[in-house]
Amino acid sequence: MADLLVMKFGGTSMGSAERIQIAAKLSAEQHAKRPVAIVVSAMSKVTDLLLNTLSKAEEGDATTVEANLEALKTRHIECARELLPADRHEAAIQGIERLVGEFSRIAHGMLLLRERPPRSVDEAIAIGEQLSAFLIAEYMNSTSVAAEAVNAARVIATDAVFGNATPIMEATRERSAGVLKPLLDKRVLPVVTGFNASTLDGKPTTLGRGGSDFSASILAAALDAAELWIWTDVDGIMSADPRVAKNARVLPEVTYAEAAELAFAGAKVLHPRTLAPLAERQIPVWSKNSFRPEVAGTRIVPKIAEGHGPRAVTSMTNIAMVSIEPANTAISGTMVMAEAIEALSRAGVEVPLITSSSYTQSFCFLVRQAELERAQQFLEERLSLELAHGYLKPISIDKEVGLVAVVGEGMRGTPGLAGRIFMAVSRQGINIVSMAQGSSELTIAMVVHRKDLEQAVRSIHDECGMGQPA
Ligand code: ASP
Ligand code: MG
């Protein structure tokens, strides 16, 4: 659909009756001009509450399960009362109770069995988005904007990797044509749940935490939208975290590749997988602030003609550095690396940075702390013989580290940049533990001690003049 606008509202943009009214107004304004479909996250903190409830159910903690269910219901009912005219309260409360009841049924099943099967988790946690989609659709209808809540399980098709599924675009295209086109043709605004989907044979899945951005981009691509607007609670993609670098600024434009790198390296503004579905059709994306809609935000585009040097610097904590070192040269370092990487891939663990360079073929890499235990377990299992026979030193782990990533397509082929960046850091007396630049020259990454992380970000931001317009 050539003029379709897809908009996504995140958890804080859906976080209260007042916020939902604003999201509805922003949607209606655009809907008056062109076809619009929106994708919504659960109200802020709701997904955490749902996940916590299921963990407590598995532990057998019935008291917390009941308290959480009550909190879930109360929050949405109170929101509905504030949001909707009195004559719609009863129907809305019924709708909320039905959805909370579905969640409650699954949570109670887990409580009974003391088990938390991934597929049931995905079915249950999608209720957060169904509740918020229901609320905003009811509100729009009460203001005479025809809207309909749509469960994305009917629209987005994925593989069966529960908790972190990947879309199957062809099937999603067919499903969205079948479900959403008829609504759009009638000028009804579809309100699609973010985060969830289903397999080809209809089993419920989710797209990973923060996955509603990804849902929106999948739909924008499937429907051949003209644009995607992602509404959050910050002004756009920034040159650095403004809490760390006081003079950080909103970047008017970044490329898909830059935005994806920044998201991957810790900038919280966009889910890292968001841009992939849009690349083929080159659909532009805007990152906008629903708290300050008058600010333009950041436009994310396939390519930017001019612009030199690094564009932004980001940092990541909650990571750990894992080092693997052969005890002697009797063992093939390449083989050890191959085995370690295979173990990480089987564990499904992401590696934000990896380096190796010495004659002893030692190497180190980063993993997220949340995935550390799993990574360690898979590595120790895979390398158990080498470790037991003393060919390898014990695997060493350092959690007191942080990753700094400098990102910009303009760094490609620009001599002297890496030198300036490293000088800026070392002038502050900061020791660089490890560093890497891929041959795409899109990102220069370095590991520093956790205590030095923020100073490193500030010194790079200043050295490269990222706070000033190019
Ligand atoms: N509600 C989901 C989460 O909190 C998805 C999202 O908000 O993007 O992870
Ligand atoms: Mg989000």
Side-chain angles (χ1 to χ4, degrees):
M1 256 184 141
D3 51 351
L4 176 69
L5 171 64
V6 176
M7 301 211 275
K8 179 258 172 177
F9 293 93
T12 47
S13 302
M14 295 294 289
S16 65
E18 191 198 345
R19 299 309 314 166
I20 291 177
Q21 283 169 353
I22 290 170
K25 179 167 156 267
L26 293 168
S27 307
E29 271 167 22
Q30 296 303 319
H31 181 64
K33 301 180 206 158
R34 51 174 156 174
V36 172
I38 70 172
V39 174
V40 297
S41 287
M43 295 178 80
S44 47
K45 311 254 162 57
V46 164
T47 308
D48 290 332
L49 179 70
L50 299 179
L51 283 166
N52 174 267
T53 310
L54 302 182
S55 297
K56 295 295 171 184
E58 185 185 27
E59 286 167 23
D61 179 352
T63 318
T64 307
V65 170
E66 298 315 327
N68 284 1
L69 286 170
E70 201 47 45
L72 180 70
K73 194 161 94 182
T74 312
R75 171 134 181 230
H76 289 91
I77 289 182
E78 275 175 6
C79 176
R81 288 217 158 95
E82 206 182 319
L83 190 62
L84 301 170
D87 62 337
R88 288 182 179 253
H89 286 179
E90 208 185 296
I93 291 169
Q94 271 176 20
I96 291 166
E97 282 177 343
R98 184 182 53 77
L99 288 167
V100 174
E102 266 177 51
F103 178 76
S104 160
R105 178 180 54 78
I106 302 170
H108 281 111
M110 291 182 186
L111 193 59
L112 202 68
L113 299 171
R114 298 288 173 89
E115 226 180 281
R116 195 164 41 119
R119 169 185 165 180
S120 309
V121 170
D122 278 0
E123 180 175 359
I125 59 179
I127 302 279
E129 271 71 12
Q130 288 172 58
L131 284 161
S132 61
F134 172 73
L135 284 175
I136 193 168
E138 288 296 295
Y139 174 69
M140 286 180 172
N141 286 322
S142 81
T143 62
S144 344
V145 175
E148 190 171 314
V150 177
N151 186 343
R154 295 174 53 213
V155 182
I156 299 179
T158 66
D159 64 12
V161 180
F162 299 106
N164 194 28
T166 296
I168 300 168
M169 285 312 288
E170 223 18 75
T172 302
R173 236 177 256 290
E174 275 166 32
R175 285 185 184 181
S176 37
V179 177
L180 302 178
K181 284 246 170 75
L183 294 175
L184 291 164
D185 289 344
K186 283 190 293 187
R187 288 207 40 81
V188 174
L189 193 156
V191 179
V192 184
T193 57
F195 191 35
N196 72 319
S198 72
T199 61
L200 292 175
D201 57 352
K203 295 190 189 78
T205 55
T206 58
L207 301 166
R209 290 307 307 272
S212 296
D213 293 344
F214 195 25
S215 307
S217 74
I218 294 167
L219 286 181
L223 293 165
D224 287 323
E227 278 182 49
L228 168 60
W229 294 7
I230 296 186
W231 292 97
T232 64
D233 55 2
V234 292
D235 285 348
I237 297 180
M238 301 197 68
S239 56
D241 182 340
R243 286 165 304 187
V244 176
K246 290 278 169 303
N247 58 344
R249 70 183 179 109
V250 175
L251 300 166
E253 268 194 340
V254 300
T255 65
Y256 282 178
E258 288 169 338
E261 286 291 310
L262 287 167
F264 183 65
K268 299 215 168 50
V269 68
L270 206 72
H271 189 281
R273 292 165 88 190
T274 306
L275 297 156
L278 306 172
E280 191 187 325
R281 282 154 218 265
Q282 313 220 324
I283 300 170
V285 184
W286 285 88
S287 166
K288 285 172 165 289
N289 187 353
S290 77
F291 290 75
R292 304 205 313 146
E294 66 284 2
V295 176
T298 300
R299 190 172 141 90
I300 309 170
V301 292
K303 268 193 202 67
I304 298 177
E306 39 39 276
H308 263 296
R311 215 181 290 277
V313 52
T314 182
S315 64
M316 195 154 122
T317 53
N318 299 324
I319 50 166
M321 191 163 80
V322 182
S323 306
I324 297 182
E325 190 176 348
N328 51 53
T329 47
I331 179 172
S332 155
T334 313
M335 183 75 88
V336 175
M337 252 184 257
E339 286 181 5
I341 287 170
E342 205 238 357
L344 292 169
S345 121
R346 279 207 295 123
V349 167
E350 225 164 37
V351 178
L353 172 142
I354 182 162
T355 61
S356 162
S357 59
S358 100
Y359 170 62
T360 62
Q361 304 254 304
S362 64
F363 65 103
C364 65
F365 49 86
L366 295 178
V367 297
R368 295 177 213 284
Q369 281 186 17
E371 297 181 332
L372 178 61
E373 214 184 287
R374 189 173 164 78
Q376 208 174 343
Q377 186 197 329
F378 273 72
L379 286 166
E380 280 170 358
E381 223 166 82
R382 182 70 211 233
L383 299 169
S384 58
L385 279 180
E386 290 87 341
L387 287 163
H389 293 299
Y391 289 120
L392 285 179
K393 295 185 180 172
I395 296 175
S396 104
I397 287 163
D398 186 352
K399 292 188 193 171
E400 290 303 311
V401 293
L403 173 73
V404 183
V406 189
V407 174
E409 297 220 48
M411 300 201 295
R412 200 169 292 139
T414 312
L417 258 178
R420 270 176 60 200
I421 288 167
F422 291 125
M423 275 304 290
V425 171
S426 51
R427 266 202 304 276
Q428 306 295 320
I430 296 172
N431 178 44
I432 297 169
V433 180
S434 171
M435 56 182 103
Q437 178 188 22
S439 58
S440 71
E441 297 187 55
L442 188 57
T443 299
I444 293 176
M446 67 187 95
V447 179
V448 298
H449 291 294
R450 177 67 189 83
K451 65 173 180 21
D452 296 327
L453 187 64
E454 300 191 346
Q455 186 58 50
V457 168
R458 273 193 292 276
S459 52
I460 295 169
H461 192 261
D462 285 345
E463 171 65 35
C464 300
M466 291 172 184
Q468 285 105 49

